[in-house]
Structure formats: C-alpha cells, structure tokens
C-alpha cells in the first residue's frame, strides 16, 4: 500500500472533449490506494481548480460541514462556493478526467491548451500556466511570511 504524497508539477494538454490526463506519478499513487474517482472543485483562494481523490474530498467535506453553522450566512457562502461547481469524476481507462465548461471558464482553461497539474501533498491543483505565473508573482514568500512561519511548529 502506498501513501498519499502528490508532489511535483507536470504539464498536460486539454483535449477537444475537455479531457485531461492525470499525470502518471499521481495516477500511480491513486492506483496504489485503490482510488479511481476524484472531485474537481473551484479553488477558494485563486483562479485554479483543485482535484481531490475521493477519500480526501470526503474527509475535507466532513471536516468543513462538521465545523460550520449552516445558519451562518458566511459559512453557507463558503460551503456553496466550494461545492456549487464541483463534480465527481471517475478516471477513464486512459487515466483522464473530464472538465466541465463552467470549471474551465473559471480557471481560464481552453480546449487544446496546456495546463499545469501541481501536487499539493494530499491533492492536486490545475492551473492555466499564465494565471499561475501571475499568481506566484503577486503572492511572493516574503521575509514577513517566513517570520510568521517561525512561530508555527511545523516539525
């Protein structure tokens, strides 16, 4: 049995039917963990997509819904934003997932374009490369951020 450790970046192409290959190194982890379904969601913090192996999505969903007060408007809005365009998607026999037009529009992804799939430990992100470059330029890791991290017990 493997372990969940999605790391690295791979460029892949979106075909004319909105299909995208999950990179081989990530498919291998999913196969080792017997995962064949993902949930694709809009990111809450920027213009990209998040791809969660189904077991991870269930953990996150349960953690969020257990901690939210559904009568709280802000909590409902966050939950709605996370789930309104999310889709369940089984990998096809070639390890591809299919994006919806709404998800593609949100992330600035077009048929025939190249996207970057990033491993983020327990899930993946999918980015339009130009939007990722702009995001990284606008959100640098500054000395102030590193100083704040010094107070967080990471290890």
């Amino acid at each position: 049995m493997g372990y969940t450790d999605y790391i690295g970046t791979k460029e892949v192409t979106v075909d004319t039917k909105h299909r995208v290959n999950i990179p081989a190194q990530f498919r291998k982890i999913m196969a080792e963990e017997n995962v064949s379904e993902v949930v694709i969601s809009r990111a809450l913090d920027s213009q990209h997509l998040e791809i969660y192996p189904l077991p991870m999505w269930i953990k996150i969903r349960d953690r969020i819904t257990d901690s939210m007060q559904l009568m709280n408007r802000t909590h409902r809005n966050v939950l709605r934003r996370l789930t309104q365009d999310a889709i369940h998607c089984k990998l096809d026999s070639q390890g591809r997932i299919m994006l919806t037009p709404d998800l593609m529009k949100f992330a600035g992804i077009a048929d025939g374009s190249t996207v970057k799939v990033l491993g983020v430990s327990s899930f993946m992100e999918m980015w339009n490369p130009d939007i990722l470059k702009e995001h990284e330029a606008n959100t640098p890791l500054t000395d102030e951020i590193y100083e704040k991290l010094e107070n967080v017990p990471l290890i």
Side-chain angles (χ1 to χ4, degrees):
M1 182 77 160
Y3 57 93
T4 304
D5 193 15
Y6 299 100
I7 59 173
T9 302
K10 183 76 174 169
E11 286 191 354
V12 295
T13 302
V14 181
D15 73 15
T16 58
K17 295 181 181 177
H18 312 316
R19 296 176 302 196
V20 180
N21 279 316
I22 294 291
Q25 70 264 32
F26 301 151
R27 284 197 320 266
K28 181 179 178 191
I29 294 168
M30 293 174 71
E32 289 171 351
E33 296 182 347
N34 201 28
V35 174
S36 61
E37 186 173 349
V38 297
V39 172
I40 309 168
S41 174
R42 296 178 359 171
L44 294 176
D45 63 337
S46 58
Q47 189 182 352
H48 69 275
L49 304 178
E50 295 178 341
I51 304 167
Y52 297 95
L54 185 58
M56 177 55 62
W57 171 262
I58 291 169
K59 286 180 189 177
I60 291 169
R61 181 208 61 202
D62 290 350
R63 204 171 334 151
I64 290 170
T65 56
D66 288 349
S67 66
M68 285 190 160
Q69 299 169 0
L70 293 181
M71 295 306 291
N72 179 303
R73 181 180 303 166
T74 302
H75 291 186
R76 275 196 333 272
N77 286 338
V78 168
L79 185 59
R80 185 179 302 114
R81 177 63 62 93
L82 183 65
T83 61
Q84 70 185 0
D85 292 320
I87 59 167
H88 284 264
C89 185
K90 289 189 182 227
L91 274 68
D92 70 11
S93 61
Q94 296 180 23
R96 297 174 299 196
I97 56 174
M98 185 176 294
L99 304 176
T100 65
D102 286 340
L103 289 172
M104 292 174 68
K105 183 178 179 181
F106 169 79
I109 296 170
D111 287 339
S113 67
T114 298
V115 296
K116 287 194 173 192
V117 179
L118 288 63
V120 188
S121 186
S122 59
F123 65 99
M124 295 160 270
E125 294 179 344
M126 182 179 297
W127 288 83
N128 169 316
D130 295 331
I131 294 171
L132 176 59
K133 188 180 217 177
E134 181 180 330
H135 175 76
E136 289 173 339
N138 292 331
T139 55
L141 293 176
T142 63
D143 287 343
E144 181 181 345
I145 292 171
Y146 284 116
E147 287 171 10
K148 288 179 182 178
L149 286 174
E150 288 175 0
N151 298 321
V152 178
L154 298 175
I155 299 177

